[in-house]
Amino acid sequence: MTKRQVPAPTDEELDVYIRTRYALLGVDISVLPESDPDAPMDQERLLANGRSILRQDIVAADFEIDPQFNLPVPHPAPFIAWTDEVER
Amino acid sequence: MRPPQDSVVSRRWFLDRMAWVTTAAAGGAAVLPGTAWGRETTREYLRDMPEPRPLQVLDDLTELTLAETVSLVRRGTVTPEELVRAHVARIERYDHAYQAYAARPSLDALLETAGTEPTDGDRAALRGVCLAPKDNVYTSDLLTEGGSLVYEGFQPDYDATVVATMRAAGGLVVGKAQMGNLAGGRAQVYGTTTPTTRNAWTPDDVEYSPAGSSSGTGTAVAARMAVAGLGTQTGGSVVGPGNAQGLTCIKPTFGRISLHGVIPLSYTRDHIGPMARTALDAAILLQVLAHPDPNDPRTLGLPPAPNYVQAATPFPGDRPAVRWPTRIGIAPGWLEPEDERVAELRRSFVRELEAMGNVRVVGEVTLPEQWEELTSPPLGGSHGDPTAFFIEPLRRDVRLFGDRLPRFLNGMLQSADTYVKVQQARMLLLHRIQTQLFNQCDVLLTQGSGAFDGTGMPVLCMPIGFGTEPRTGKTVPRGVNLAAPPFGEERLFAVAAAWQARTDHHTVRPEDPVG
């Protein structure tokens, strides 16, 4: 079965999504300057980073991993001790 | 001689997996050595330390290593009060230039503590040792501001487990060390991008970075304003400043040291790391701190900590040798950095390793399959981790986060399915490192630490020589990262101890600031 092709969202669409998501959670980014390279942070850089994070979801989604053999583990190194892969 | 802990971990895991994969008959299961780890106390381990240098050969008490401090205080040759006075005098003379400390107790308060018998008794492991924990570690008597406006003025009402443990052992917190904003980057004026802490090797040059985020601890230890300290590492923040300032530091296996009372960046990748001047000093501090903490369940259910002090003590023999036969691998490209002077240092280091006993340098290793995908963002990252803990200040005013704001908002954007995939990939990476990388070697020489931070594997850094900072022509230390499988700290200490028995790069002291 071929993948259904969905048009990729534009930067502008993602910016609306990002601003809406922050606003939904009560975070106000309008207190930052819109664009000021000399400021510690501005909205332009923040949104660019947000778009990058959202687009990285595609990389993760495309990564094929056997769900039967690869469980999500937050703490891999201690996990191998907890599951007795380490002699006590 | 019993084997180092990592060999049991790897062997057991490898044998189990191979048996399962091949469905081979299980006859003749491997007989693994018995474990006596954790039965002895740190105090007993310290009895076998090497003799300290005579006091007469030292310029001042701040030159004492942690191991020497412990020995000399126990013998009554020096007192904790004398050590406090020496370190405070140095801090007061020079920290205006280094800017390593964010907060300090008064001399009177320190002297009172130094004169009190530690909870662990008069033979306490760290008695008189002056320490510089990073400012994201809670202290009940000093502000804990995390290098950030978010925590400005924050006074915890209890000590982090690591601080409480060090104090019970007689350790003295001479100050809280400056750090990068919420554990990212080099230390800066809160809320700005103006750097503060200087590299101890270039105190008059603000441009040459002390590295981060454990900048202040690195500078305080290198500049002899503390004997040792604690950094934290989520992505290279202990070994970075360690290498930049000629220190020997260990980021241990995840869970070895409690994170209770430490401002979190990532619940899954944060590590406390002892920062010191020698492998033995780092090992003693790890020995004191590596124990289960009921307040941090991630530390529970692990194999007891083995004798790190012994592992970091030079192995007796005609020539410096690693305590256990050890194969050392080299990450692809590590011998060919852009800077030819660094390349020569690394080649020389490898030649020296080959001349040590019990070492076999196996050369460049082959990286596990899908290495690039599994160690790069998003799968090799931790983008979503910091958000949940910081919702309240994010709602209060995003400007408090300064240049680090994106890192703390990312969790609102990264999807749950990506977050799950990251955790799947992290475990897959650990298994591949175990079976496809550490089947070729026991210790890896590597540039970065990211793959080992995410999987929670131990990394040690140590100096291997000096180079020239191209902009100013100043001499600065160069270091190396050594990585090992989970619970492989002993192996790392053993290699570092043998190297440091053969060389003196780790003993070179930076010049004092002018003025």
Side-chain angles (χ1 to χ4, degrees), chain B residues 371-505:
Chain B
W371 179 263
E372 195 59 35
E373 295 97 311
L374 291 170
T375 59
S376 308
L379 297 173
S382 57
H383 288 312
D385 281 11
T387 302
F389 191 84
F390 289 93
I391 286 289
E392 187 281 325
L394 285 168
R395 284 175 168 159
R396 186 163 19 116
D397 189 343
V398 291
R399 289 171 294 191
L400 297 172
F401 291 80
D403 59 336
R404 296 269 291 153
L405 178 61
R407 179 90 165 96
F408 292 82
L409 281 173
N410 286 339
M412 295 181 180
L413 299 177
Q414 189 179 57
S415 66
D417 50 310
T418 293
Y419 197 73
V420 167
K421 189 72 80 68
V422 165
Q423 295 188 19
Q424 288 179 284
R426 204 176 274 179
M427 192 67 201
L428 176 64
L429 177 62
L430 179 138
H431 280 166
R432 286 192 177 161
I433 290 175
Q434 288 275 76
T435 56
Q436 298 177 9
L437 198 160
F438 286 122
N439 62 337
Q440 304 169 65
C441 61
D442 303 301
V443 167
L444 180 73
L445 307 180
T446 174
Q447 177 73 33
S449 65
F452 305 95
D453 292 334
T455 51
M457 296 184 177
V459 181
L460 178 145
C461 73
M462 64 178 182
I464 60 169
F466 293 87
T468 304
E469 203 276 298
R471 198 170 38 79
T472 62
K474 291 203 166 189
T475 299
V476 291
R478 303 291 189 204
V480 61
N481 291 331
L482 299 91
F487 308 99
E489 290 85 356
E490 285 173 290
R491 184 87 71 168
L492 297 175
F493 283 134
V495 173
W499 168 251
Q500 293 183 346
R502 192 180 170 88
T503 60
D504 61 2
H505 307 303

Side-chain angles (χ1 to χ4, degrees), chain B residues 67-118:
Chain B
E68 289 171 332
T69 301
V70 169
S71 294
L72 293 173
V73 169
R74 287 176 166 215
R75 294 173 190 191
T77 310
V78 294
T79 67
E81 290 90 339
E82 289 172 318
L83 293 161
V84 162
R85 286 188 190 281
H87 282 89
V88 170
R90 187 162 173 81
I91 294 168
E92 290 183 346
R93 181 166 181 194
Y94 291 120
D95 199 43
H96 69 90
Y98 291 121
Q99 301 183 59
Y101 285 104
R104 293 196 295 117
S106 69
L107 176 60
D108 287 347
L110 269 173
L111 287 172
E112 185 180 342
T113 308
T116 308
E117 186 169 304

